[in-house]
Amino acid sequence: MDKLHSKQKETVQKISYEHTWLILNSEISVVFYDVTTICFELDNEDELRKTGFSKEGKHQNPQIILGLLVSKNGYPLAYKVFEGNKFEGHTMLPIIDTFKEKYNLHQLVIIADSGLLSSSNVEELQEKKYEFIFGTRIKSESKSIKEKVLALRLKNGETEIIEKDNLKLNITYSESRAKKGKLNRERGLKKTRKAN
């Protein structure tokens, strides 16, 4: 893996990009970005493997962060390895900017999850004229936005748009997601009651 990363990363990414370009009929305009952590059973850190927030719950182990950019249908386009203690919100734009410039792409729509939704990322995306969609949850929003969302009384599959500053929030209601959330809250309450 070290040899592949240090000597053949550019070749691998070029092959992947060209393959995706052909499969998607020469159109790459929507990209998905996410990160994961990979931990190591080591006692000591080095310049790359550092302790940080572990998605695997192994906070005591050194790790790396892997940022991955994929196209529609999940075809890999680019990746980058970051130090294990880097904030995941700071990993997205370096990969996307490099990818866009390298392949001379004019416009990209970026789709990512709420972990990458920092105000600085949003500002930078807007400054660079990117379009973007970030998944987020009601609980992350301000009280006034929560009240607007809850007042909608949406039914399963219905969608409404709410303006927030210079952004649009696309609000969708899902019965299955609501049931899952309720079940998770009930489990959490049971655990809390048992612990007390």
Side-chain angles (χ1 to χ4, degrees):
M1 291 301 284
D2 286 347
K3 182 179 177 184
L4 177 67
H5 177 69
S6 63
K7 296 186 178 177
Q8 297 173 330
K9 177 184 176 192
E10 291 306 314
T11 303
V12 168
Q13 289 188 132
K14 185 173 188 282
I15 291 167
S16 182
Y17 173 80
E18 288 171 356
H19 174 74
T20 303
W21 184 257
L22 286 173
I23 295 237
L24 296 179
N25 297 317
S26 306
E27 184 185 340
I28 296 176
S29 57
V30 176
V31 294
F32 299 80
Y33 181 74
D34 204 359
V35 297
T36 192
T37 56
I38 301 166
C39 75
F40 298 87
E41 299 294 328
L42 298 172
D43 293 327
N44 299 316
E45 297 179 343
D46 58 28
E47 66 243 14
L48 183 62
R49 295 176 287 194
K50 300 191 178 293
T51 55
F53 176 77
S54 169
K55 292 179 183 265
E56 300 171 60
K58 297 183 177 182
H59 304 292
Q60 73 282 3
N61 295 94
Q63 66 178 14
I64 59 171
I65 294 176
L66 175 66
L68 181 64
L69 191 66
V70 300
S71 69
K72 292 188 291 187
N73 303 326
Y75 295 106
L77 296 167
Y79 76 92
K80 187 169 172 74
V81 175
F82 297 92
E83 300 85 6
N85 61 355
K86 191 169 188 77
F87 169 56
E88 69 179 44
H90 296 156
T91 66
M92 180 176 66
L93 281 157
I95 292 178
I96 290 169
D97 289 342
T98 301
F99 177 76
K100 184 178 180 222
E101 186 178 318
K102 182 176 185 175
Y103 296 108
N104 196 26
L105 300 171
H106 299 291
Q107 185 60 40
L108 284 177
V109 177
I110 297 129
I111 301 173
D113 70 15
S114 58
L116 300 157
L117 183 61
S118 67
S119 57
S120 61
N121 272 351
V122 170
E123 286 172 20
E124 198 169 344
L125 286 164
Q126 289 174 320
E127 283 171 18
K128 294 179 176 183
K129 307 289 188 222
Y130 284 115
E131 293 182 54
F132 55 92
I133 299 170
F134 284 168
T136 189
R137 296 191 175 147
I138 295 173
K139 69 180 183 179
S140 307
E141 296 297 335
S142 67
K143 184 180 176 190
S144 64
I145 293 292
K146 286 178 192 173
E147 288 170 355
K148 286 179 184 177
V149 170
L150 295 172
L152 293 173
R153 303 272 184 219
L154 297 175
K155 294 186 174 111
N156 191 43
E158 290 183 339
T159 299
E160 288 286 339
I161 292 176
I162 293 176
E163 300 284 334
K164 174 190 170 186
D165 304 323
N166 54 352
L167 299 173
K168 291 181 182 176
L169 300 179
N170 191 339
I171 312 299
T172 302
Y173 180 75
S174 163
E175 278 181 13
S176 62
R177 182 70 191 139
K179 285 177 186 173
K180 182 180 177 188
K182 183 179 179 186
L183 186 65
N184 287 341
R185 287 188 299 276
E186 287 170 356
R187 282 188 193 144
L189 284 170
K190 275 185 185 175
K191 276 186 180 178
T192 303
R193 286 182 187 128
K194 280 182 183 178
N196 293 331

